[in-house]
Amino acid sequence: MEAELDCPIDTTTEKARNSIIVVASLVSKLHNLGGICRTSEIFNAELLVVSNLKVKDEMAFTGTSVTAEKWMPMREVKELDLIDYLTKMKADGYSLVGIEQATNSQSLDKFQFPKKALLLLGKEKEGIPASYLHLLDHIVEIPQFGVIRSLNVHVSASLILWEYTKQMVSAE
Ligand SMILES: C[S@@+](CC[C@H](N)C(=O)[O-])C[C@H]1O[C@@H](n2cnc3c(N)ncnc32)[C@H](O)[C@@H]1O
């Protein structure tokens, strides 16, 4: 697939990892990307996908990643190639899980994660564009009880990764 050829991969370590891929190609703020990298590393995710690997050289990224990028395998997939990439990963057996507030979303407190999962995070302002929704196997929403409309995307990724980890650890 062409998206594969265009995607530089940077696999920094070879240790065994959980079969969860975090796709942050739609996330643009460097401090969010750095935080997502740190959380992905801590929860031993298989791969973090970003739209540009050069983010690793930016201080706004490293300020929140605190060296996680040295240990976290990362791959570049531009937004233009994202549909192709998601299609390929689905064919490779990953369940595509959109992290979003949507009319057909399932609540995180009832959701059973597939072991082999790919998390798609939304844009900071618009969320996940409608053009991706048909591809997703599930949409998972974190229940909210306050007034503010949505969580920060890094906070959302952290809550989801912890729930995935908890489920996988208790299934062992
Ligand atoms: C700030 S939100 C996007 C804006 C939001 N869709 C809105 O209309 O206000 C950025 C991203 O964080 C994640 N997110 C935020 N709150 C969430 C929640 N309660 N459940 C699941 N994902 C959430 C989603 O990936 C979302 O696309």
Side-chain angles (χ1 to χ4, degrees), residues 32 99-101 108 122-125 141-145 148-160:
N32 282 334
I99 307 306
E100 193 53 274
Q101 297 162 295
L108 178 62
K123 298 187 185 209
E124 281 98 342
K125 277 205 178 129
E141 175 168 349
I142 303 154
Q144 299 187 179
F145 305 97
I148 306 292
R149 187 180 154 121
S150 62
L151 290 153
N152 165 277
V153 67
H154 169 217
V155 171
S156 305
S158 302
L159 292 167
I160 297 280

Side-chain angles (χ1 to χ4, degrees), residues 26-88:
L26 301 174
V27 176
S28 56
K29 293 201 167 108
L30 293 168
H31 62 89
N32 282 334
L33 288 167
I36 291 166
C37 181
R38 180 176 181 171
T39 305
S40 300
E41 196 283 323
I42 284 173
F43 290 117
N44 208 20
E46 182 180 322
L47 182 67
L48 170 63
V49 177
V50 295
S51 67
N52 189 341
L53 278 177
K54 290 202 174 99
V55 293
K56 296 200 291 181
D57 303 326
E58 300 287 341
M59 271 177 62
F61 178 95
T62 53
T64 48
S65 70
V66 293
T67 75
E69 71 281 2
K70 292 188 179 163
W71 326 112
M72 185 63 218
M74 290 174 70
R75 156 165 284 193
E76 182 176 301
V77 179
K78 303 237 175 268
E79 192 175 342
L80 204 64
D81 299 320
L82 194 51
I83 297 261
D84 280 352
Y85 177 72
L86 295 176
T87 306
K88 185 197 175 296

Side-chain angles (χ1 to χ4, degrees), residues 109-125:
D109 59 329
K110 298 191 185 70
F111 186 69
Q112 187 62 47
F113 280 91
K115 190 170 181 189
K116 213 170 157 180
L118 178 151
L119 305 179
L120 178 65
L121 303 170
K123 298 187 185 209
E124 281 98 342
K125 277 205 178 129

